[in-house]
C-alpha cells in the first residue's frame, strides 16, 4: 500500500518523497494502527491523512476546529483534484443535505467537520451510514485540559468514536503538545503511546528574537521599513491594539489586513483572503487568526505583546517560513504585558485549578523572555525534547556581550527575600532593596530589616528585571496564586551558601528620565484636564517627551518653561502659568519624593557614566564602536581623555580574545602597518606583537586616531 501512497503523493501533490516523519505516520495508518503525529507547524501534517484518504476506500472524516481552516483545506484539495467538502454553520440546510447525499453516493473522499457537529444526533446517524475508513483529529492538543486551547467538544470525540458501529483508524495530529498533553491525547483516544511519531519541534529556518524595553511602535516601524516587500503577521493581544496598529500602518502606506473577534464574519473572511492572496502584505490580528493557515511565504511574525503561553507562541511563530526559507520571529516584551495577560486569565478562567494552570504557563512564557540561554533550546525543553546544541540563530545566541559575575547582587536579593519572610512579591522586594519610604514598606516595618536600602544605587525597575532573570534561571520560585509570592529556590540556597556562582550577560545601561517618577504621572493628569477643556487629544497639548523634560527640569519661570523642547510661544502663553503653578503645588506636597528621585537620578547618572572599575574599559569600547571619538566618550562618561585612551589600549591588549578581524586590501593593510610600526615603541607594541598577521578593525581605528592626535610626540 505504500507504493500506492507514493503514487498519490506524486499525482496529486507533485512530490517524489515524503518528508521526515510523514512516511512513518502513513505506514501506521495504512496497516490499520491508530497513531499520534506530532510535527512542527509547516512540517506537513495534512499530507499524513490526505494521502491515506485517497488510498483507502470510503470517506475520511477530518475533525477541524475552525471554519476558515476547513475552507482553506478544501480549497487546496479541490485545486489539486482531490474531492473534498466541509459541513459547518456557513451552509444552508439545503446545502448540508446535498453534501451529505453526495457523501453517501461516494462523491467525496474527505469531509471536514467541527467537533461540535459530531455530537448532533442526526449527523451521528448519517456517519453510521457512511463507509468511514479514517478519522483525523487535527489540532489534537485541544483534547487536553492541559493544552493551551482546550475545547470541551474535543474531549467528547473519544466516546463518540467508541459508539460507532465500525471503528475506523484514528490519526491525532498536532504541532504543539507537551509530554502531559501527548499522554492525554493517547489516553482519551485510546491510542497506544508506542504509536507516536514525533519529528521534533526544531525549526532550523526560524530566527527567534526577544526585544525588551524598546519603544514597540518605533521598533516595528523600523523593522517594517526594512522588510516592506515581505509578507508577515503582527499578533496583538486585544482588539483595540489590532485596530490601533492597523490604522497606524495604513496611514503609513502599508497594505494591511486585520482580523479579530469583534469583526463580522464576512469582513474577517475578506481580510483573510486579501492577506492569503498577497493583495495585502501584512496581517494585524489577535490569536483568533492563523490556526492552520497554509500561506507559505510568511517571512516574519511579530508578537506585539507577550503571548499567554508557550504553546500558543510557538504555534503562531511557526506560521513563518512554512516554505522552509529563512524567517524571523520577534517578540516585543514589556512588563506591562504580564499584567494584561494575568487580567485576561482571571477574567476568563473561573475554575481555580484552570486559572492556576494558566498562570503557570504564563510564568513559563515570562521565563522564556528573560532567559539568557538559547531560545530554541528553551522551547525544546519545554516540549520535553532534549537538545544539547545551541541554535546559533536566536537573539541570545548571536548576542556577543560578555558575561559578568552577579553572585553578590543575587545574594543581596535572596537574602532580602528571606529577611522579609518569603511572603511578598517582586514589587515590595524591589522597594525594600531600593530603600523606598512607601506606606506599605513602613507599615510592615520592612525599613527596619538589615537589607533595607541594600541596593539603593539601583532603580526599582532594574531590580525587578534582575529578579525576572533569577526566576528564569530557577534561583527564585514563584507561587501561582493571584498574588505571586517569591521564594528562594534550592538552586538559590546554593548561591547563598557560596557553592554556586551566578553569571549574567553585561547589561546595557538605559537612562529613563521619568522612571518611578510620580511627577510625570501628575503632569499627565494636568495635561488630560487641559485637553478636556480644549476638547483635543492630550498629545496635542504636550507630547510625552515634553512632559518628561518638564518633570526633569522643573521650570520655575516662564523663561525657563520656554526653553523646553516642544514649548512654542502659543503654548507658553496658553499653558505656561498653569503648568508652573501645578509644578510648585506638586513640589510643596511631595518634597521627600522629589529629593529621593533627584538622588536616584544622580546615582543613576553616576553609575551609567562610570560603571564599575572592573568593566569600565568595555563600556568605553561599546561607545567607541558606536562611532564616538575619544573626546566625545570622555565627555559622555565624565572621564579625562587619557583614561579613555588607556581603556582602548586595554581592549587592544585583549584583542586576541575578540573576534572582530576583517579583510583589508593590500593598500589598506600597508597603511595600517605603517602607523603601527611608527608607534612600535609606544603602548601599541604589545598589540602589534599579539597580532602579527591580522589587525582587528577597531585597533586600526585606535592606531589612526592616536596617530592623528600626535600621541607619539607626547
Amino acid at each position: 500500500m505504500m507504493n500506492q501512497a507514493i503514487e498519490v503523493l506524486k499525482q496529486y501533490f507533485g512530490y517524489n518523497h515524503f518528508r521526515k516523519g510523514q512516511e512513518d505516520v502513513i505506514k501506521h495508518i495504512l496497516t490499520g494502527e491508530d497513531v499520534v503525529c506530532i510535527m512542527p507547524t509547516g512540517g506537513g501534517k495534512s499530507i499524513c491523512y490526505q494521502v491515506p484518504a485517497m488510498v483507502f476506500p470510503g470517506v475520511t472524516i477530518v475533525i477541524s476546529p475552525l471554519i476558515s481552516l476547513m475552507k482553506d483545506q478544501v480549497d487546496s484539495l479541490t485545486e489539486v483534484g482531490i474531492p473534498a467538502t466541509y459541513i459547518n454553520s456557513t451552509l444552508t440546510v439545503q446545502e448540508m443535505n446535498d453534501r451529505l447525499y453526495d457523501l453517501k453516493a461516494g462523491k467525496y473522499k474527505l469531509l471536514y467537520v467541527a467537533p461540535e457537529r459530531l455530537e448532533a444526533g442526526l449527523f451521528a446517524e448519517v456517519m453510521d451510514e457512511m463507509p468511514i475508513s479514517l478519522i483525523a483529529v487535527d489540532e489534537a492538543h485541544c483534547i487536553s485540559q492541559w493544552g493551551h486551547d482546550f475545547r470541551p467538544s474535543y474531549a467528547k470525540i473519544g466516546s463518540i468514536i467508541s459508539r460507532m458501529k465500525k471503528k475506523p483508524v484514528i490519526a491525532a495530529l498536532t504541532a504543539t503538545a507537551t509530554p502531559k498533553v501527548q499522554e492525554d491525547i493517547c489516553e482519551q483516544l485510546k491510542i497506544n503511546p508506542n504509536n507516536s511519531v514525533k519529528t521534533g519541534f526544531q525549526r532550523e529556518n526560524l530566527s527567534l528574537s526577544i526585544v525588551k524595553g524598546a519603544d514597540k511602535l518605533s521598533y516595528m516601524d523600523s523593522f517594517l521599513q526594512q522588510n516592506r516587500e515581505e509578507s508577515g503577521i503582527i499578533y496583538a493581544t486585544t482588539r483595540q491594539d489590532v485596530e490601533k496598529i492597523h490604522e497606524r500602518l495604513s496611514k503609513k502606506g502599508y497594505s494591511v489586513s486585520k482580523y479579530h473577534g469583534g469583526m463580522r464574519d464576512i469582513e474577517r473572511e475578506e481580510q483573510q483572503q486579501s492577506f492569503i492572496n498577497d493583495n495585502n502584505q501584512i496581517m494585524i490580528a489577535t490569536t483568533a487568526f492563523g490556526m492552520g493557515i497554509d500561506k507559505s511565504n510568511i517571512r516574519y511574525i511579530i508578537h506585539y505583546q507577550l503571548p499567554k503561553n508557550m504553546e500558543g507562541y510557538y504555534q503562531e511563530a511557526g506560521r513563518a517560513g512554512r516554505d522552509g526559507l529563512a524567517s524571523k520571529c520577534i517578540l516585543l516584551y514589556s512588563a506591562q504585558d504580564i499584567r494584561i495577560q494575568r487580567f485576561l486569565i482571571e477574567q476568563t478562567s473561573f475554575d481555580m485549578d484552570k486559572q492556576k494552570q494558566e498562570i503557570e504557563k504564563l510564568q513559563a512564557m515570562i521565563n522564556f523572555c528573560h532567559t539568557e540561554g538559547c531560545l530554541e533550546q528553551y522551547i525544546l525543553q519545554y516540549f520535553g525534547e532534549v537538545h544539547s546544541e545551541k541554535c546559533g540563530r536566536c537573539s541570545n545566541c548571536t548576542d556577543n556581550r560578555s558575561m559578568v559575575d552577579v553572585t553578590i547582587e543575587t545574594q543581596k536579593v535572596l537574602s532580602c527575600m528571606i529577611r522579609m519572610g518569603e511572603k511578598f512579591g517582586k514589587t515590595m522586594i524591589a522597594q525594600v532593596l531600593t530603600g523606598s519610604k512607601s506606606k506599605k514598606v513602613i507599615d510592615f516595618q520592612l525599613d527596619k530589616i538589615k537589607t533595607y536600602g541594600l541596593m539603593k544605587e539601583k532603580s526599582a525597575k532594574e531590580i525587578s528585571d534582575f529578579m525576572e532573570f533569577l526566576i528564569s534561571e530557577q534561583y527564585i520560585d514563584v507561587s501561582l496564586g493571584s498574588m505571586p509570592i517569591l521564594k528562594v529556590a534550592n538552586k538559590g540556597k546554593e548561591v547563598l551558601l557560596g557553592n554556586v556562582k551566578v553569571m549574567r550577560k553585561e547589561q546595557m545601561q538605559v537612562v529613563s528620565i521619568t522612571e518611578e517618577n510620580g511627577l510625570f504621572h501628575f503632569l499627565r493628569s494636568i495635561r488630560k484636564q487641559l485637553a478636556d477643556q480644549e476638547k483635543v487629544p492630550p498629545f496635542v497639548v504636550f507630547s510625552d517627551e515634553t512632559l518628561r523634560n518638564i518633570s526633569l527640569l522643573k521650570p520655575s519661570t516662564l523663561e525657563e518653561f520656554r526653553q523646553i523642547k516642544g514649548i512654542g510661544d502659543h503654548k507658553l502663553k496658553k499653558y505656561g502659568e498653569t503648568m508652573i503653578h501645578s509644578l510648585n503645588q506638586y513640589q510643596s506636597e511631595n518634597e521627600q519624593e522629589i529629593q529621593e528621585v533627584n538622588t536616584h537620578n544622580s546615582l543613576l547618572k553616576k553609575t551609567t557614566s562610570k560603571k564599575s572599575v572592573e568593566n569600565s574599559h568595555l563600556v568605553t569600547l561599546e561607545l567607541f564602536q558606536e562611532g564616538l571619538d575619544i573626546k566625545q566618550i570622555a565627555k559622555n562618561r565624565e572621564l579625562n581623555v587619557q583614561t579613555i585612551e588607556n581603556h582602548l589600549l586595554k581592549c587592544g591588549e585583549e584583542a586576541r580574545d575578540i573576534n572582530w578581524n576583517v579583510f583589508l586590501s593590500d593598500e589598506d593593510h600597508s597603511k595600517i602597518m605603517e602607523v603601527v610600526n611608527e608607534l612600535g615603541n609606544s603602548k601599541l607594541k604589545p598589540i602589534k606583537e599579539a597580532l602579527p598577521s591580522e589587525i582587528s578593525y577597531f585597533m586600526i581605528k585606535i592606531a589612526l586616531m592616536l596617530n592623528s592626535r600626535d600621541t607619539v610626540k607626547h
Side-chain angles (χ1 to χ4, degrees):
M1 294 181 78
M2 278 306 299
N3 289 336
Q4 288 179 263
I6 291 173
E7 287 302 316
V8 169
L9 184 69
K10 290 179 181 177
Q11 179 181 348
Y12 294 100
F13 299 99
Y15 302 119
N16 292 322
H17 306 284
F18 289 109
R19 291 190 197 174
K20 179 183 177 182
Q22 288 177 333
E23 186 169 354
D24 292 334
V25 175
I26 291 172
K27 280 181 179 177
H28 278 294
I29 293 173
L30 294 182
T31 56
E33 295 180 334
D34 298 337
V35 64
V36 173
C37 169
I38 300 170
M39 287 183 182
T41 301
K45 292 183 296 298
S46 299
I47 290 286
C48 293
Y49 60 80
Q50 290 169 347
V51 167
M54 294 301 291
V55 176
F56 278 154
V59 177
T60 290
I61 302 288
V62 183
I63 300 172
S64 176
L66 292 178
I67 291 173
S68 58
L69 172 59
M70 297 180 196
K71 186 178 185 307
D72 288 343
Q73 294 275 15
V74 168
D75 287 348
S76 297
L77 290 170
T78 302
E79 188 66 26
V80 299
I82 294 178
T85 190
Y86 59 83
I87 293 179
N88 58 38
S89 58
T90 64
L91 304 178
T92 65
V93 174
Q94 185 59 51
E95 286 173 326
M96 286 187 193
N97 289 335
D98 289 345
R99 294 189 184 191
L100 288 172
Y101 179 83
D102 290 338
L103 275 162
K104 287 188 233 179
K107 184 175 179 180
Y108 298 112
K109 293 295 293 180
L110 291 102
L111 168 65
Y112 286 77
V113 296
E116 292 81 3
R117 182 73 48 185
L118 299 179
E119 299 176 54
L122 180 60
F123 190 79
E125 291 177 14
V126 172
M127 283 179 62
D128 278 336
E129 297 175 9
M130 287 190 292
I132 300 173
S133 301
L134 171 65
I135 291 183
V137 183
D138 205 5
E139 308 296 347
H141 58 270
C142 297
I143 210 168
S144 172
Q145 292 194 47
W146 295 96
H148 68 286
D149 194 20
F150 170 65
R151 302 193 181 195
S153 55
Y154 260 78
K156 299 176 183 178
I157 293 174
S159 60
I160 292 172
I161 293 175
S162 67
R163 294 196 297 267
M164 294 176 65
K165 291 179 180 178
K166 182 181 178 183
K167 181 186 172 300
V169 178
I170 302 171
L173 309 101
T174 181
T176 49
T178 61
K180 175 63 177 173
V181 172
Q182 295 173 33
E183 183 182 322
D184 272 6
I185 293 171
C186 291
E187 183 178 335
Q188 292 197 42
L189 295 179
K190 295 181 172 55
I191 300 175
N192 185 339
N194 293 327
N195 290 357
S196 297
V197 177
K198 307 172 195 175
T199 61
F201 293 92
Q202 189 176 26
R203 291 282 304 279
E204 294 183 356
N205 63 317
L206 300 186
S207 299
L208 308 175
S209 296
I210 306 291
V211 177
K212 291 184 284 192
D215 180 302
K216 294 185 178 186
L217 291 173
S218 297
Y219 182 94
M220 189 170 61
D221 287 345
S222 176
F223 179 86
L224 294 178
Q225 183 61 38
Q226 295 177 43
N227 298 274
R228 201 174 186 99
E229 302 303 316
E230 303 293 353
S231 184
I233 303 174
I234 300 172
Y235 281 108
T237 301
T238 66
R239 300 173 185 180
Q240 291 86 344
D241 281 322
V242 169
E243 293 287 351
K244 178 181 73 174
I245 297 170
H246 181 268
E247 181 180 5
R248 177 188 179 89
L249 296 184
S250 295
K251 287 180 178 178
K252 288 179 175 289
Y254 291 98
S255 55
V256 191
S257 292
K258 63 181 178 180
Y259 191 106
H260 61 70
M263 299 165 60
R264 292 178 296 116
D265 289 346
I266 188 170
E267 185 181 4
R268 282 203 303 267
E269 177 63 21
E270 290 171 352
Q271 294 283 313
Q272 178 170 304
Q273 289 306 312
S274 292
F275 176 65
I276 290 174
N277 295 330
D278 281 346
N279 296 326
N280 287 340
Q281 294 295 104
I282 304 170
M283 170 62 81
I284 319 295
T286 59
T287 55
F289 172 80
M291 186 181 284
I293 295 300
D294 284 330
K295 185 175 171 65
S296 64
N297 63 332
I298 296 173
R299 290 277 72 81
Y300 61 85
I301 301 289
I302 296 177
H303 281 88
Y304 188 71
Q305 284 120 349
L306 176 76
K308 67 179 182 178
N309 53 52
M310 185 60 66
E311 292 94 330
Y313 164 74
Y314 204 46
Q315 187 175 61
E316 291 151 16
R319 286 166 192 147
R322 291 172 68 101
D323 53 10
L325 299 181
S327 303
K328 295 182 179 296
C329 305
I330 300 166
L331 196 165
L332 305 179
Y333 172 81
S334 70
Q336 177 66 25
D337 300 342
I338 301 172
R339 290 191 284 274
I340 294 171
Q341 288 294 3
R342 286 189 70 95
F343 173 78
L344 293 174
I345 289 170
E346 289 164 3
Q347 294 299 308
T348 56
S349 301
F350 299 108
D351 180 276
M352 293 309 295
D353 288 338
K354 180 67 174 175
Q355 191 175 112
K356 182 179 179 181
Q357 176 189 323
E358 291 299 315
I359 292 173
E360 183 178 358
K361 286 177 175 289
L362 175 60
Q363 185 60 54
M365 196 70 230
I366 297 167
N367 293 349
F368 173 70
C369 293
H370 284 276
T371 184
E372 294 189 351
C374 172
L375 297 177
E376 186 176 83
Q377 275 187 336
Y378 183 99
I379 291 173
L380 297 179
Q381 183 179 358
Y382 179 86
F383 287 113
E385 188 176 319
V386 178
H387 200 273
S388 59
E389 293 183 8
K390 296 180 179 180
C391 72
R393 302 180 305 277
C394 72
S395 55
N396 284 354
C397 285
T398 56
D399 186 348
N400 59 8
R401 288 176 295 160
S402 59
M403 300 293 287
V404 295
D405 190 331
V406 292
T407 305
I408 293 175
E409 290 89 341
T410 303
Q411 290 171 335
K412 288 178 180 180
V413 172
L414 300 180
S415 177
C416 186
M417 289 167 55
I418 290 174
R419 291 183 182 276
M420 292 173 68
E422 296 183 286
K423 53 185 179 183
F424 293 95
K426 188 174 60 176
T427 301
M428 185 70 92
I429 297 167
Q431 287 179 346
V432 172
L433 284 165
T434 56
S436 169
K437 298 187 183 300
S438 72
K439 187 175 184 301
K440 281 188 175 181
V441 170
I442 304 301
D443 287 349
F444 281 106
Q445 297 189 342
L446 295 172
D447 57 331
K448 309 297 184 188
I449 65 176
K450 285 188 176 181
T451 50
Y452 177 75
L454 192 60
M455 301 176 75
K456 59 186 177 183
E457 77 281 0
K458 303 282 188 183
S459 71
K461 183 179 185 301
E462 286 175 314
I463 294 175
S464 292
D465 287 346
F466 185 58
M467 283 190 280
E468 289 287 5
F469 161 72
L470 295 177
I471 292 168
S472 72
E473 297 297 315
Q474 300 176 353
Y475 295 105
I476 296 176
D477 286 334
V478 185
S479 71
L480 300 175
S482 58
M483 299 294 289
I485 305 300
L486 305 189
K487 295 183 181 296
V488 178
N490 289 333
K491 191 175 176 182
K493 292 173 183 175
E494 292 297 313
V495 176
L496 288 173
L497 292 171
N499 297 331
V500 173
K501 278 190 175 183
V502 183
M503 305 297 291
R504 188 187 190 193
K505 285 184 177 175
E506 189 174 28
Q507 299 302 291
M508 298 292 288
Q509 295 288 339
V510 180
V511 179
S512 176
I513 295 170
T514 60
E515 187 174 294
E516 306 293 332
N517 190 343
L519 175 56
F520 174 74
H521 298 296
F522 171 77
L523 292 177
R524 282 209 300 193
S525 68
I526 300 300
R527 177 180 67 176
K528 182 68 168 63
Q529 293 173 19
L530 295 172
D532 289 344
Q533 291 171 13
E534 297 295 322
K535 297 182 179 179
V536 296
F539 69 84
V540 173
V541 178
F542 297 117
S543 69
D544 277 2
E545 181 184 15
T546 300
L547 282 191
R548 289 189 174 106
N549 286 331
I550 294 172
S551 69
L552 175 67
L553 300 175
K554 305 178 187 64
S556 57
T557 66
L558 289 176
E559 181 57 33
E560 289 177 356
F561 195 78
R562 178 66 179 82
Q563 302 306 312
I564 292 174
K565 184 179 179 181
I567 304 296
D569 291 339
H570 182 70
K571 288 188 178 181
L572 176 68
K573 183 178 179 180
K574 196 168 189 177
Y575 304 120
E577 290 183 355
T578 300
M579 294 299 289
I580 290 171
H581 173 75
S582 299
L583 277 167
N584 291 335
Q585 175 190 344
Y586 183 88
Q587 291 187 84
S588 63
E589 293 175 357
N590 299 270
E591 286 185 20
Q592 185 175 358
E593 179 186 312
I594 290 171
Q595 184 177 357
E596 289 180 2
V597 169
N598 288 338
T599 300
H600 167 68
N601 284 342
S602 176
L603 286 169
L604 186 59
K605 184 178 180 182
K606 183 177 180 182
T607 303
T608 304
S609 62
K610 296 188 177 180
K611 212 176 179 183
S612 69
V613 174
E614 180 182 355
N615 294 310
S616 189
H617 67 296
L618 296 178
V619 178
T620 294
L621 177 60
E622 290 174 5
L623 296 173
F624 193 83
Q625 287 182 289
E626 291 172 6
L628 276 67
D629 63 30
I630 288 179
K631 288 184 178 179
Q632 289 173 320
I633 298 171
K635 183 178 180 180
N636 181 287
R637 302 205 58 205
E638 299 178 2
L639 298 170
N640 61 50
V641 170
Q642 185 63 51
T643 300
I644 298 301
E645 289 180 352
N646 288 337
H647 283 178
L648 293 175
L649 291 167
K650 183 177 180 181
C651 290
E653 290 168 357
E654 298 172 356
R656 280 170 292 188
D657 300 321
I658 302 173
N659 189 24
W660 295 331
N661 292 331
V662 296
F663 294 103
L664 301 171
S665 68
D666 291 341
E667 183 180 358
D668 287 338
H669 192 273
S670 297
K671 288 179 181 178
I672 297 309
M673 291 308 297
E674 285 176 13
V675 174
V676 175
N677 288 330
E678 184 180 355
L679 300 176
N681 295 321
S682 73
K683 293 180 180 179
L684 284 179
K685 184 176 180 181
I687 300 166
K688 180 189 174 187
E689 293 173 349
L691 303 169
S693 59
E694 294 177 299
I695 306 295
S696 69
Y697 175 67
F698 95 97
M699 277 312 308
I700 293 167
K701 290 185 67 176
I702 292 173
L704 292 174
M705 185 177 294
L706 292 176
N707 193 51
S708 68
R709 293 188 65 254
D710 295 325
T711 305
V712 180
K713 293 179 182 179
H714 298 292

